[in-house]
Amino acid sequence: MGQHRYAACPCGGGAGLRLIATVHVGGIATGILIQPYIDHAPKDGLPGAGLLIGRLERLVIFVLILTGQPQAIGFLIAAKSILRFEPSPNAGHNAKNEYVIIGTLASFGWALCSAWLTVALLEQLPDLGIPTISP
């Protein structure tokens, strides 16, 4: 995907509603998915930090897709992986890490699907004749 004709305003054409759905509804959907594993949720972190991190990562993914920069999502995944890494005495099986991975993949998947759906819908809009701003 290259530069889009709506890249100068990622919240135009109804994309703002999709952004809200991506960030907030995505959190609800992810929460429902990981509910069966809640007993393995990390208890030693900041209260509400996981919710905020999820919202921020969905926001960043949404904006990256809408601005035609999906390759940058790889850096987000790498950064999150590095920050989450901690050597485990029972290497290979750590319920807390599995819980976080399930939540992360669900959150990323929701954001990607929502952003791509938004791109597909925005591409159906007529061209407004507004020139694209290049850096």
Side-chain angles (χ1 to χ4, degrees), residues 68-129:
Q69 301 297 320
Q71 63 277 13
I73 296 169
F75 290 109
L76 183 62
I77 293 169
K80 188 165 184 181
S81 298
I82 290 168
L83 292 174
R84 277 268 174 209
F85 177 76
E86 60 182 69
S88 174
N90 40 332
H93 188 284
N94 186 336
K96 181 174 94 172
N97 288 343
E98 290 172 352
Y99 174 85
V100 170
I101 290 169
I102 291 169
T104 297
L105 291 176
S107 182
F108 274 53
W110 180 277
L112 288 169
C113 290
S114 180
W116 283 325
L117 177 61
T118 302
V119 167
L121 293 173
L122 288 173
E123 287 178 347
Q124 300 305 310
L125 294 175
D127 190 3
L128 300 176

Side-chain angles (χ1 to χ4, degrees), residues 1-134:
M1 291 191 177
Q3 188 77 7
H4 301 293
R5 64 175 180 248
Y6 49 82
C9 182
C11 290
L17 294 176
R18 296 293 309 161
L19 176 64
I20 291 169
T22 299
V23 174
H24 294 291
V25 179
I28 295 167
T30 301
I32 290 169
L33 181 70
I34 62 175
Q35 186 63 38
Y37 312 105
I38 201 75
D39 293 338
H40 301 290
K43 309 223 184 334
D44 54 345
L46 297 172
L51 180 64
L52 179 59
I53 290 168
R55 286 179 178 166
L56 291 172
E57 70 191 16
R58 286 187 296 276
L59 172 68
V60 168
I61 289 170
F62 188 87
V63 170
L64 288 172
I65 293 291
L66 258 66
T67 57
Q69 301 297 320
Q71 63 277 13
I73 296 169
F75 290 109
L76 183 62
I77 293 169
K80 188 165 184 181
S81 298
I82 290 168
L83 292 174
R84 277 268 174 209
F85 177 76
E86 60 182 69
S88 174
N90 40 332
H93 188 284
N94 186 336
K96 181 174 94 172
N97 288 343
E98 290 172 352
Y99 174 85
V100 170
I101 290 169
I102 291 169
T104 297
L105 291 176
S107 182
F108 274 53
W110 180 277
L112 288 169
C113 290
S114 180
W116 283 325
L117 177 61
T118 302
V119 167
L121 293 173
L122 288 173
E123 287 178 347
Q124 300 305 310
L125 294 175
D127 190 3
L128 300 176
I130 300 171
T132 303
I133 300 171
S134 338

